[in-house]
């Protein structure tokens, strides 16, 4: 399941450094990576996406997917603390939402909180042991922490 997270803030490292134009190019080359709710994100209109997802959660405070997508859009704007808050809201509604645990972990990683990020990836793996994405992110956290990933 590809999502705005895959397209927005889990871009390859060079794309994060290059900024908006690289994000837009990345998205143009991968038209199938977005959910229908991510149309604003696909066009590089991250601020518009934040406004749309914020409106969705103001209407329905129990819409975990809207909080999740809000977090992804905020992360695409490098607003990681706000993104983590949105992922927290999604997880408060559904603590078994493995994708939100992964996305929260990525946000924590961007803030240099690699131990906390690792814990999020491990939680996601406890929920979905076959998640290649969670295993990939866990491996990256071990690399950033400078230790073997033999757990």
């Amino acid at each position: 399941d590809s999502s705005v997270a895959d397209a927005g803030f889990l871009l390859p490292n060079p794309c994060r450094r290059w900024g908006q134009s690289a994000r837009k190019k990345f998205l143009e080359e991968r038209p199938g990576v977005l959910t229908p709710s991510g149309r604003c994100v696909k066009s590089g209109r991250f601020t518009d996406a934040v406004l749309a997802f914020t409106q969705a959660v103001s209407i329905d405070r129990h819409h975990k997917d809207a909080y999740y997508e809000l977090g992804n859009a905020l992360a695409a704007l490098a607003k990681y603390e706000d993104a983590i808050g949105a992922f927290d809201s999604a997880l408060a509604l559904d603590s078994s939402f493995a994708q939100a645990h992964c996305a929260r972990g990525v946000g924590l990683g961007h803030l240099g909180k690699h131990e906390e990020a690792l814990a999020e990836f491990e939680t996601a793996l406890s929920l979905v042991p076959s998640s290649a994405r969670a295993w990939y992110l866990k491996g990256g956290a071990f690399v950033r922490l400078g230790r073997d990933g033999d757990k």
Side-chain angles (χ1 to χ4, degrees), residues 103-125:
R104 186 176 191 281
V106 171
L108 289 164
H110 281 293
L111 295 175
K113 299 177 179 182
H114 301 296
E115 287 286 350
E116 291 177 57
L118 180 60
E120 290 295 333
F121 305 141
E122 289 174 343
T123 299
L125 286 166

Side-chain angles (χ1 to χ4, degrees), residues 20 25 40 56 106 125 145:
Q20 187 72 18
K25 182 175 192 266
C40 292
V106 171
L125 286 166
L145 286 166

